[in-house]
Amino acid sequence: MFSGSIPALVTPFSADGAFDESAYRDLVEWQIDEGSTGLVPCGTTGEAATLSVEEHFHIVGICVDQTRGRVPVIAGAGSNDTRVAIHNIKAAKAAGADAALMVPPYYNRPNQEGIFRHFEAVAQACDLPIVLYNVPGRTVTDIAVETVARIAHAFPSVVGIKDATGGDPARIGAARGVPGGVRAAFGQ
């Protein structure tokens, strides 16, 4: 479903602090021209934590509009609050995204069962494909390989993982064997 170079986009702002739509559209075009095979608006690189909900999904919609279907758009949509994550994935779908990049609950530090239940609620609330984003350096929550396997087996809408744990070869090998058709995408 997704492969190749799929960069997280920065969100440009003008000097007055407003979203710079023209610069953003130019950035999207440049990424496509340079060979990116997908784009991630409003991920952790895209200043999502500093955007209002309206700004966040307006920017996702601008990315979708500018790509015109030439590359998939994987919208940053995670939250530490399951209700907000559900709202976000629905908003990403409404904005036209092809998938949602979802982190496990940050700050709250749930155990593995709590992580599973979070993704269970999100996957059951919306059929938009989900790419798990395991980035414990930012979330202080690590999705164990066994939990990834459990999530992937239980929810067909989980189609991949971005693993930013540092590239432990044993972990990568174990994750590649995850059932359910999840293709692992590794990197920081």
Side-chain angles (χ1 to χ4, degrees), residues 6-10 24 38-43 46 63 72-76 101:
I6 305 172
L9 301 175
V10 298
Y24 191 72
L39 299 173
V40 180
C42 299
C63 187
V73 173
I74 305 170
L101 185 65

Side-chain angles (χ1 to χ4, degrees), residues 97-139:
D98 298 290
L101 185 65
M102 305 292 294
V103 296
Y106 47 87
Y107 184 76
N108 303 346
R109 300 184 64 176
N111 61 20
Q112 295 303 304
E113 183 65 21
I115 293 169
F116 178 84
R117 295 297 173 196
H118 173 81
F119 286 114
E120 175 183 51
V122 172
Q124 290 178 346
C126 185
D127 63 354
L128 188 66
I130 296 170
V131 176
L132 302 176
Y133 185 14
N134 192 32
V135 57
R138 300 261 180 149
T139 63

Side-chain angles (χ1 to χ4, degrees), residues 25-92:
R25 287 182 180 276
D26 289 345
L27 174 63
V28 168
E29 283 303 315
W30 183 84
Q31 288 288 346
I32 293 170
D33 290 346
E34 292 299 313
S36 295
T37 58
L39 299 173
V40 180
C42 299
T44 54
T45 301
E47 297 73 44
T50 64
L51 300 170
S52 71
V53 172
E54 294 79 20
E55 289 172 318
H56 185 123
F57 293 102
H58 172 72
I59 292 168
V60 170
I62 295 296
C63 187
V64 168
D65 179 65
Q66 192 63 39
T67 63
R68 296 184 305 279
R70 294 174 288 167
V71 299
V73 173
I74 305 170
S79 174
N80 67 323
D81 180 330
T82 303
R83 291 175 300 173
V84 173
I86 289 169
H87 173 270
N88 288 353
I89 195 170
K90 289 177 178 180

